[in-house]
Amino acid sequence: MALILSLDTSTKVCSVAVHDDGELIGQQSYHLQKSHSSLLPLIIEQVMDNCEFKLSQLAAIALSAGPGSYTGLRIGTATAKGLTYALNIPLIALDSLDTMIEQIRPIVDVGSILCPMIDARRMEVYCKLVEQHEIWPTAPLVVEADTFDEIKDGPLIFFGNGSDKLKALFPNVRYVPDVHPSAAHMGRMAFDKFKESDFEDIAYFEPDYLKEYRTNVPSQKFKV
């Protein structure tokens, strides 16, 4: 049994889940702004108690490590590091956008090009493009009217809170609402990394912010 506790604080949603060999056992989440520091320890305790597990039974901690909110990522990282150090168990880091893709794959057609987006303010988003393989890697992107002109191989699907502001600019794209990074969808990927011993160095690990905090320099467009 590989019992893994998953944490996600990369957006305003604070979520915690427990998976056993990749299978979801229990989860809890709150859609509250600026509440991670007060909620996260309590949610962890409640989820573990409700699932009738002890922290000492955990095999690893999985963390949604960015991109996303600077403050949220710092809180999640500090909590995950503290737990892994105290329990002497490994830390597994996952891309926040990949957990969004994990949610949406079962409800979209094969051949669709998936574009998860996390809001990075103004017309900038953190995003990536994926079909069966990665087309564009995770990066900050300033969105313009011609940004996706070269994508012609399949229907585009936008989702995540960064996509909400693009509906007027791209009216013909399919939008899937209410998709956000979630600890409940980290289980399979975390278990795969656990089996491969793909762990982070707890002492040196930092979240994937993608850009400097509060920078005013816009990101460059993707070049493919």
Side-chain angles (χ1 to χ4, degrees):
M1 179 179 76
L3 197 67
I4 299 177
L5 178 70
S6 298
L7 313 177
D8 186 281
T9 56
S10 59
T11 65
K12 73 174 183 179
V13 180
C14 182
S15 61
V16 173
V18 176
H19 296 85
D20 183 9
D21 289 354
E23 179 181 352
L24 180 65
I25 303 300
Q27 67 91 22
Q28 193 166 325
S29 63
Y30 288 88
H31 296 235
L32 299 172
Q33 194 74 35
K34 298 181 180 179
S35 59
H36 298 2
S37 58
S38 59
L39 284 178
L40 188 57
L42 178 61
I43 300 174
I44 292 171
E45 181 179 359
Q46 290 176 344
V47 169
M48 294 298 290
D49 285 347
N50 290 340
C51 294
E52 298 184 341
F53 291 124
K54 297 179 180 179
L55 290 173
S56 59
Q57 294 176 267
L58 292 174
I61 303 290
L63 174 68
S64 185
S69 159
Y70 180 89
T71 302
L73 292 173
R74 296 289 293 179
I75 293 169
T77 298
T79 302
K81 280 187 170 185
L83 285 170
T84 53
Y85 181 80
L87 298 170
N88 193 28
I89 56 177
L91 175 65
I92 298 168
L94 299 174
D95 188 310
S96 306
L97 299 173
D98 286 338
T99 69
M100 297 166 68
I101 293 171
E102 186 80 356
Q103 295 177 60
I104 202 172
R105 278 209 186 276
I107 64 171
V108 298
D109 296 331
V110 175
S112 299
I113 296 177
L114 308 180
C115 186
M117 297 180 175
I118 294 176
D119 190 13
R121 300 183 180 179
R122 298 186 178 89
M123 290 305 290
E124 188 172 19
V125 296
Y126 302 119
C127 73
K128 69 188 303 181
L129 278 182
V130 173
E131 190 186 359
Q132 298 302 314
H133 60 282
E134 185 179 88
I135 301 173
W136 290 350
T138 297
L141 172 67
V142 177
V143 181
E144 299 175 0
D146 63 348
T147 297
F148 299 95
D149 282 358
E150 60 196 277
I151 306 301
K152 305 181 186 300
D153 294 335
L156 268 172
I157 300 179
F158 290 172
F159 51 100
N161 64 6
S163 68
D164 296 341
K165 57 192 176 186
L166 304 183
K167 293 181 179 179
L169 198 59
F170 303 102
N172 296 321
V173 171
R174 178 184 172 188
Y175 292 82
V176 179
D178 302 322
V179 179
H180 51 80
S182 171
H185 294 90
M186 295 168 61
R188 182 192 63 80
M189 293 183 292
F191 186 49
D192 286 345
K193 283 199 167 189
F194 180 82
K195 290 184 291 184
E196 296 295 326
S197 297
D198 186 0
F199 305 138
E200 303 298 325
D201 186 318
I202 298 173
Y204 297 102
F205 174 77
E206 290 291 334
D208 191 3
Y209 300 119
L210 291 186
K211 62 177 186 176
E212 294 295 327
Y213 182 49
R214 291 181 178 173
T215 181
N216 293 319
V217 179
S219 305
Q220 297 296 313
K221 291 178 62 178
F222 280 118
K223 297 185 184 297
V224 182

